[in-house]
Amino acid sequence: MLAIKSELPVNSDMYFLALKRMAEKGMKSPHGDGFGFLYSTESEYGVFKSLDQIWNYAHPFMEMKLGIFHARKASSGYTANLHHVHPFITEVQGKTWVFAHNGTIYDVNIDGVIDSQYYFSKIQEKLLKWPPEDALLATAKEIEKEKKFTSLTCILSDLEDIWAMKYYSDPGDNYHNLYYMEHNGVKVLASEPITQYIDVEGIVDFRELGNCEIIKL
């Protein structure tokens, strides 16, 4: 999982390459059960999804001011379904929201709905009355009371800003992670440090988020 935000349009190739390498060679790889990305510019946005393995896909070669990228690792025995590929997108009171999630929520027994979609639906309910930070935290606390889960770590965007939350249940969890950095005016969030997979220059403010922390880009 990876997200970028910039005041000026930036080429997305290097970030897409980072996620490709992370999905193929990173922690608990491979993440080869489909991938998707959202891009947003000043004049348009779009979502692309595929059931292909991300490392078999060419770079999109597009500029964007905001992007969310996700490569999926589905549960054992699951049959890949394009409808379940992240990121998910919906409207709440006329505003577009985009969501991606890393982790598993157990015992979500809704036909055709996976745990991440269930999670997003809960967040949407909260967005009707609360700002994004409060909606994310309130949803996480509600799910924590009702269900077992590995991680509620997620990225949420309204196409203008990005909110990310790191939230896992096991204090020893070093997998469901989020790292923040900025370089050359681009703000980056990723599940692993992208410097392990690509060369990045001009890095400032590199850090690992704490558990239950929410950050806004």
Side-chain angles (χ1 to χ4, degrees):
M1 187 165 66
L2 187 150
I4 61 171
K5 184 186 175 188
S6 173
E7 293 300 319
L8 299 173
V10 294
N11 193 301
S12 62
D13 294 355
M14 66 182 294
Y15 309 106
F16 193 77
L17 177 60
L19 186 64
K20 285 173 70 171
R21 291 175 172 172
M22 194 188 308
E24 185 177 17
K25 304 292 185 181
M27 294 182 66
K28 297 192 178 181
S29 58
H31 289 66
D33 299 304
F35 71 96
F37 64 87
L38 167 124
Y39 70 91
S40 180
T41 69
E42 290 181 350
S43 60
E44 67 177 20
Y45 74 88
V47 177
F48 176 88
K49 297 188 180 188
S50 172
L51 291 179
D52 197 3
Q53 296 166 331
I54 189 172
W55 51 87
N56 291 330
Y57 191 81
H59 303 338
F61 295 108
M62 62 174 62
E63 290 191 336
M64 58 186 70
K65 296 180 70 173
L66 184 149
I68 297 174
F69 307 81
H70 190 279
R72 189 155 185 253
K73 183 180 178 72
S75 302
S76 178
Y78 170 83
T79 301
N81 182 329
L82 195 61
H83 182 59
H84 295 156
V85 174
H86 308 223
F88 304 108
I89 188 165
T90 193
E91 284 194 6
V92 178
Q93 293 184 328
K95 193 169 190 176
T96 300
W97 292 92
V98 186
F99 178 77
H101 166 226
N102 276 356
T104 301
I105 304 171
Y106 298 104
D107 299 321
V108 175
N109 301 312
I110 306 172
D111 287 344
V113 174
I114 62 169
D115 57 342
S116 300
Q117 291 170 312
Y118 162 82
Y119 184 12
F120 190 25
S121 70
K122 292 284 189 181
I123 293 171
Q124 291 169 47
E125 294 172 3
K126 307 295 188 296
L127 287 171
L128 290 170
K129 54 184 177 179
W130 290 333
E133 294 94 335
D134 295 341
L136 286 171
L137 191 58
T139 302
K141 290 184 177 299
E142 179 180 321
I143 291 175
E144 189 170 30
K145 290 179 181 178
E146 297 175 352
K147 297 185 181 296
K148 292 183 178 180
F149 65 92
T150 59
S151 166
L152 302 174
T153 299
C154 65
I155 291 172
L156 177 71
S157 176
D158 63 357
L159 304 182
E160 296 178 7
D161 296 305
I162 294 173
W163 295 265
M165 179 174 68
K166 176 176 165 181
Y167 203 110
Y168 53 70
S169 59
D170 181 358
D173 189 344
N174 65 350
Y175 171 58
H176 297 102
N177 222 327
L178 277 178
Y179 295 85
Y180 171 80
M181 73 172 196
E182 185 174 343
H183 76 108
N184 299 330
V186 182
K187 297 177 181 179
V188 183
L189 282 162
S191 301
E192 298 182 47
I194 64 172
T195 51
Q196 296 178 3
Y197 302 99
I198 57 173
D199 294 327
V200 184
E201 297 180 351
I203 297 174
V204 295
D205 295 332
F206 175 85
R207 69 182 185 90
E208 176 184 345
L209 271 64
N211 195 23
C212 304
E213 181 178 355
I214 298 174
I215 186 172
K216 178 184 178 183
L217 274 60

